[in-house]
């Protein structure tokens, strides 16, 4: 789990700071830094989430269609539909459903219980994972990229243009190396402790980020074909016109990059794929 791996990062930081202290001359600055770290990075900042009741005005995906993950401790698919539990820029949620890196368990399919997500102006839905920024001042993030596809009939899934992927290893944990992938941006929205209106969730905060965090997708950007998709012009145009009922999220490591004929590389050393917190649509009917 990425959130567990963050705990290891904190342990490393704590250990390093303690080593700066000696029995003869304690390093007071290091001690003060130790006291400050939990407030900045503890996953307890997620608070009492999931909420007791989901907000009626936020169209969250509420039905699990397919969820065969075998990730120990994080394979309960209800975690992907029981509410968005973001922890902010520096903290990821534990209330998530984790995908495997490869195989059948690398895919999750959700729906809105028979309702259709419509194509409007701008971003139509937001995918929430549990990424976090690795430092307050840096531009590098701990994230698990995923390929996102949608379908109206549950058979033909259409995705987005992933050709802008930057394969440079040094850039693997930069968000903008993974254009139109999901699972990249921290989740600010927390249905129990940090509330947003639907309009706010779909409002930009600048530089490709949304006010409530997460990764937004516009159905007008759907393409024919695409990595891991079975989408022809008819299927794409039908979704653009009528909307979609099903959303599929796949670990990037389980999808072949057509430019290399190899799976997309994993940007970190975690032993599972994306940790999915949920999906919110803008308009459903």
């Amino acid at each position: 789990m990425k959130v567990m791996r963050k705990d290891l990062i904190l342990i490393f930081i704590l250990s390093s700071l303690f080593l700066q202290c000696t029995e003869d001359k304690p390093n007071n600055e290091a001690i003060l830094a130790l006291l400050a770290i939990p407030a900045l990075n503890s996953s307890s900042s997620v608070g009492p989430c999931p909420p007791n009741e989901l907000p009626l005005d936020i169209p969250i995906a509420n039905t699990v269609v397919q969820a065969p993950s075998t990730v120990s401790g994080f394979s309960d698919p209800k975690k992907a539909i029981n509410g968005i539990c973001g922890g902010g820029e520096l903290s990821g949620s534990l209330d998530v459903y984790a995908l495997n890196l490869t195989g059948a368990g690398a895919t999750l399919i959700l729906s809105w219980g028979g309702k259709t997500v419509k194509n409007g102006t701008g971003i139509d839905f937001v995918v929430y994972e549990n990424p976090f920024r690795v430092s307050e001042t840096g531009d590098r993030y701990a994230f698990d990229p995923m390929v996102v596809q949608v379908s109206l009939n549950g058979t033909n899934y259409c995705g987005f243009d992933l050709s802008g992927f930057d394969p440079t290893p040094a850039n693997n944990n930069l968000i903008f190396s993974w254009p139109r992938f999901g699972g990249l941006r921290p989740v600010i929205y927390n249905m129990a402790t940090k509330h947003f209106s639907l309009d706010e969730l779909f409002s930009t905060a600048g530089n490709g980020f949304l006010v409530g965090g997460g990764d937004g997708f516009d159905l007008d950007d759907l393409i024919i074909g695409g990595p891991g998709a079975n989408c022809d012009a008819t299927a794409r145009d039908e979704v653009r016109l009528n909307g979609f009922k099903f959303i599929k999220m796949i670990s990037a490591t389980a999808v072949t990059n057509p430019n290399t004929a190899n799976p997309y590389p994993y940007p970190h050393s975690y032993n599972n794929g994306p940790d999915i917190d949920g999906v919110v649509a803008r308009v459903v009917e």
Side-chain angles (χ1 to χ4, degrees):
M1 289 296 297
K2 179 162 60 270
V3 286
M4 299 302 291
R5 197 53 78 161
K6 181 180 68 173
D7 291 342
L8 296 180
I9 293 172
L10 292 179
I11 291 171
F12 173 79
I13 295 172
L14 294 172
S15 300
S16 299
L17 289 170
F18 271 125
L19 288 174
Q20 296 177 31
C21 303
T22 67
E23 293 182 0
D24 299 301
K25 186 178 179 180
N27 186 328
N28 291 330
E29 292 182 358
I31 294 172
L32 290 175
L34 290 175
L35 296 174
I37 285 175
L40 289 172
N41 295 286
S42 172
S43 61
S44 65
S45 63
V46 172
C49 202
N52 293 327
E53 295 182 359
L54 296 177
L56 297 178
D57 58 338
I58 305 295
I60 186 172
N62 57 13
T63 303
V64 177
V65 178
Q66 178 179 318
S69 169
T70 59
V71 177
S72 179
F74 293 92
S75 58
D76 180 358
K78 293 191 297 295
K79 300 290 187 180
I81 60 173
N82 67 352
I84 310 302
C85 296
E89 279 283 327
L90 299 175
S91 181
S93 171
L94 286 167
D95 188 74
V96 292
Y97 172 82
L99 300 180
N100 293 114
L101 289 172
T102 59
T107 296
L108 170 68
I109 300 177
L110 302 178
S111 77
W112 281 257
K115 293 185 177 181
T116 302
V117 177
K118 307 300 288 185
N119 185 7
T121 301
I123 293 173
D124 298 299
F125 64 94
V126 181
V127 174
Y128 298 96
E129 208 247 0
N130 70 348
F132 58 90
R133 190 153 44 95
V134 297
S135 73
E136 289 189 81
T137 58
D139 60 353
R140 295 182 181 271
Y141 293 77
F143 54 67
D144 302 311
M146 70 176 90
V147 174
V148 177
Q149 301 171 356
V150 296
S151 174
L152 181 60
N153 61 15
T155 300
N156 298 102
Y157 280 86
C158 298
F160 300 86
D161 182 6
L162 308 180
S163 62
F165 167 69
D166 180 359
T168 307
N171 296 336
N172 262 359
N173 58 357
L174 293 175
I175 285 176
F176 298 104
S177 293
W178 299 82
R180 290 169 292 281
F181 285 78
L184 308 179
R185 294 166 178 81
V187 180
I188 312 302
Y189 184 33
N190 186 300
M191 285 184 168
T193 62
K194 195 169 183 64
H195 305 287
F196 291 95
S197 68
L198 186 61
D199 285 343
E200 288 173 327
L201 292 178
F202 286 85
S203 297
T204 179
N207 205 26
F209 288 74
L210 296 171
V211 171
D215 299 294
F217 293 84
D218 185 343
L219 292 179
D220 287 331
D221 293 334
L222 289 172
I223 63 171
I224 299 170
N230 58 339
C231 180
D232 57 18
T234 299
R236 181 203 61 183
D237 293 345
E238 188 173 26
V239 172
R240 285 181 174 178
L241 178 63
N242 299 314
F244 71 91
K245 293 181 182 292
F246 306 94
I247 180 167
K248 179 188 291 186
M249 291 159 280
I250 316 165
S251 298
T253 46
V255 177
T256 299
N257 180 352
N259 294 326
T260 65
N262 293 312
Y264 289 97
Y266 204 45
H268 305 292
S269 59
Y270 314 137
N271 57 7
N272 64 267
D275 309 310
I276 298 169
D277 199 1
V279 184
V280 170
R282 189 164 196 167
V283 178
V284 296
E285 295 180 357

